[in-house]
Amino acid sequence: QWALDFEGNRDRIIESIKQAKGQGARMRVGSELEITGYCLEDHFLEIDNTDLAFDVLADIIESGATDDILCVIGIPVMQEGARYNCDVYVLNGTIYGFKAKKHLANDGNYYEPRWFTAWGKDREVEDFILPDRLARITKQKIVPIGDFVIQTNDSIIGSEKCEEMFVPNNPGIDMALDGVEIFANGSDSHWEVGKLRNRISKIFKTTQSAGGIYIYA
């Protein structure tokens, strides 16, 4: 994905969903902030970019791409004057909620607290009022935003994002204690020698102690 390439990012997201469906997948996980691209740096502070991100989400839903597949899509969200780095869960054109990042990257190349607020309410959600176009398309007015997991007929699904994998009290452990069996992680980070081994070891930390399946994008 490319920073500020809203149309290109939209088309690549839709194409990736089509490829996942073509391979028989029932769940698709995308990278961190994949609608806007990562990282916009101070462009995140421009409200237009949050609005454009919702237009892209509306386009994705209106295209029918999310029919018969649970899609976890990275998007920035404004709620009560605060900007959150979120995963949005969409299935069959219905938005099930915006999962907000609880631990922000603030070292090395990263300054996420400059642009985002960390969600500080464990296992709590608030009401988020959808923009008019999304409300018309989805026939929903209010959806949850915050810290939650998704229960299906035969499993429980949760997601953490990038930096949250690296912190000592990573949300994956709390989610496992709440019954999560399928963990999703949409990440985005700079290239570094040996970093892939570090990531894999963090994934193992969750699944070796709690079991389950870890989906990493």
Side-chain angles (χ1 to χ4, degrees):
Q1 299 296 66
W2 292 90
L4 297 174
D5 182 12
F6 288 95
E7 292 183 356
N9 291 344
R10 175 199 62 202
D11 294 344
R12 285 183 286 272
I13 291 168
I14 291 173
E15 175 61 24
S16 76
I17 296 170
K18 288 180 179 178
Q19 289 185 20
K21 291 169 75 171
Q23 295 178 44
R26 300 300 302 275
M27 179 177 177
R28 176 265 183 200
V29 178
S31 59
E32 185 173 20
L33 294 166
E34 60 179 329
I35 286 181
T36 59
Y38 187 105
C39 173
L40 303 194
E41 298 187 346
D42 280 359
H43 288 294
F44 278 126
L45 303 177
E46 300 167 13
I47 191 66
D48 285 356
N49 289 322
T50 306
D51 294 340
L52 286 168
F54 276 106
D55 283 339
V56 169
L57 179 59
D59 288 345
I60 293 168
I61 293 173
E62 203 164 32
S63 74
T66 67
D67 292 348
D68 300 320
I69 186 167
L70 174 62
C71 295
V72 183
I73 301 171
I75 185 172
V77 177
M78 288 288 293
Q79 166 76 343
E80 297 183 351
R83 186 179 296 100
Y84 296 99
N85 180 346
C86 291
D87 284 329
V88 56
Y89 287 74
V90 190
L91 172 64
N92 292 326
T94 297
I95 295 173
Y96 285 90
F98 295 92
K99 174 71 179 291
K101 192 172 182 179
K102 298 165 67 176
H103 301 275
L104 303 177
N106 192 33
D107 61 350
N109 295 335
Y110 304 105
Y111 304 94
E112 287 185 353
R114 179 178 172 90
W115 312 302
F116 296 102
T117 298
W119 187 265
K121 303 175 183 178
D122 289 346
R123 296 180 174 89
E124 290 187 29
V125 297
E126 297 176 355
D127 289 340
F128 178 78
I129 301 173
L130 289 176
D132 290 343
R133 184 183 172 202
L134 272 174
R136 289 196 303 271
I137 292 170
T138 63
K139 297 180 174 57
Q140 300 169 273
K141 292 183 178 179
I142 295 174
V143 299
I145 181 172
D147 182 23
F148 60 86
V149 298
I150 298 288
Q151 182 169 348
T152 69
N153 288 336
D154 54 8
S155 191
I156 302 178
I157 298 168
S159 61
E160 54 185 5
K161 297 185 72 62
C162 199
E163 175 70 9
E164 295 183 318
M165 177 196 294
F166 294 91
V167 298
N169 57 332
N170 68 299
I173 300 302
D174 285 337
M175 289 191 293
L177 295 173
D178 288 334
V180 169
E181 297 174 314
I182 300 174
F183 304 86
N185 188 323
S187 288
D188 208 318
S189 61
H190 65 283
W191 185 87
E192 179 183 318
V193 174
K195 195 166 189 180
L196 179 59
R197 289 195 298 272
N198 191 18
R199 289 194 191 102
I200 292 173
S201 72
K202 302 300 184 185
I203 291 171
F204 284 172
K205 184 180 78 170
T206 298
T207 55
Q208 284 177 337
S209 60
I213 297 167
Y214 204 103
I215 304 171
Y216 181 84

